[in-house]
Amino acid sequence: MSKLHKTAFTIKEKLLGRSSHQILQDLLESQYWSRDRIQKHQERLLSSVLDTAFLQSPFYRDLYGKKGIARSDIQTIEDLKFLPVLTKKHFIENSDGMLVSGFPQEQTKLCRTSGSTGQRL
């Protein structure tokens, strides 16, 4: 890729609000991490996602509460087996409640599937 292409790509990504360049740099660095470091990194990311789900998503807070699952119950990747499996029905019936509170509506994107299982989503 020429320097001109790299510069154009970088400008386009910034204009679109994407961080592809940083993601690539992170992947290039992390490919050499030890298994232990990768697992710790995954658990930090998991913790952030779960904190958001428990604190800011009415759907997940209610679903986990009904199942008797507290945030403190899920600490490692191995603990994911305790979370309920979500179905298409969950997404169809609860899409608004899945959104986190305080997230700007203009930053959400509507995505659709073709319904390869017979039911569109």
Side-chain angles (χ1 to χ4, degrees):
M1 184 182 280
S2 72
K3 187 170 182 145
L4 177 61
H5 285 105
K6 287 180 185 178
T7 302
F9 176 76
T10 301
I11 291 169
K12 178 189 84 162
E13 291 298 289
K14 286 187 181 193
L15 289 172
L16 293 173
R18 298 189 301 216
S19 57
S20 301
H21 183 70
Q22 184 60 51
I23 291 169
L24 174 60
Q25 293 304 326
D26 293 346
L27 288 171
L28 290 172
E29 178 187 328
S30 67
Q31 69 180 326
Y32 300 107
W33 289 357
S34 68
R35 183 179 298 267
D36 184 55
R37 184 169 179 192
I38 290 170
Q39 184 173 344
K40 285 186 168 94
H41 178 70
Q42 290 173 332
E43 287 175 352
R44 276 193 304 273
L45 294 174
L46 173 63
S47 181
S48 176
V49 168
L50 289 173
D51 287 346
T52 300
F54 274 89
L55 297 173
Q56 296 179 302
S57 170
F59 170 77
Y60 289 104
R61 186 172 41 250
D62 184 51
L63 176 67
Y64 297 154
K66 286 179 181 174
K67 301 285 185 183
I69 301 169
R71 172 62 185 93
S72 59
D73 295 334
I74 314 297
Q75 298 297 321
T76 67
I77 302 292
E78 192 59 32
D79 296 336
L80 287 174
K81 64 185 172 195
F82 299 117
L83 295 178
V85 175
L86 298 178
T87 64
K88 268 190 178 182
K89 185 176 179 182
H90 285 110
F91 288 96
I92 292 168
E93 293 178 356
N94 302 286
S95 60
D96 289 340
M98 289 179 168
L99 298 175
V100 297
S101 58
F103 191 83
Q105 184 70 25
E106 63 275 2
Q107 290 185 22
T108 60
K109 294 179 182 172
L110 178 62
C111 299
R112 301 175 195 264
T113 67
S114 61
S116 59
T117 61
Q119 187 176 18
R120 294 183 66 185
L121 178 65

